[in-house]
Amino acid sequence: MKRISIIFTVIVLVWLVGDYMYDRNWGVQNIEFVKLEEIKFKKVIPFPKLSLVSSANIILKNPNLIGAEVTGVDFDVYVEDKHTTRVNHATNFPVAGNEEFNVPLEFEIPLGKAGFFKDVKDILTGAWKNQTLTIRTVGSINIRFPSLKIDFNLPFDESMEYLLKDYLPK
């Protein structure tokens, strides 16, 4: 009888620890959004609709010992508080454990849609390069820990002002 009691106690303890770990996502912490950096306007597409092809890096930190992967980045881009585009970037970007890393992105910002640069003369003379724009990105990063079959959705909201000529390739 004592043996059955010990076996039952071990089973209950294993079940309680397993339930606790499952509820706590196996002790896995969320990956942290650090910042959006190195925004570059790679090229301008003047016609048929004015837009900027942009690249950027999202800097994240994985505080966990185990690796993960970024499976997607979805965000809306607002230029001067006007919604200009939605970016859906599917990826399989591996993330090492316990380190800071960057996820490279490339996307297009249609400026004509937001009502900028209506004057063709500004486009042709290059006067648009001296304009300052406030660009806000609001979205989420999808992260998966494949070994544990756990998915996280990491929200972010980043806003910065850009002088276009400072971010164009030289």
Side-chain angles (χ1 to χ4, degrees), residues 6-21:
I6 292 173
I7 292 173
F8 180 74
T9 303
V10 168
I11 290 173
V12 168
L13 285 174
V14 168
W15 178 75
L16 287 173
V17 168
D19 187 50
Y20 174 79
M21 294 302 284

Side-chain angles (χ1 to χ4, degrees), residues 60-75:
L60 303 171
K61 183 179 180 185
N62 182 2
N64 302 293
L65 294 176
I66 60 170
E69 63 185 33
V70 175
T71 58
V73 180
D74 302 317
F75 60 95

Side-chain angles (χ1 to χ4, degrees), residues 2 10 35 39 46 51 66 70 87 95-96 108-109 112-113 125 129:
K2 186 175 183 180
V10 168
K35 63 183 169 180
I39 290 186
S51 60
I66 60 170
V70 175
V87 177
V95 175
E108 190 173 318
I109 301 173
K113 182 178 178 184
T125 62
K129 293 179 185 178

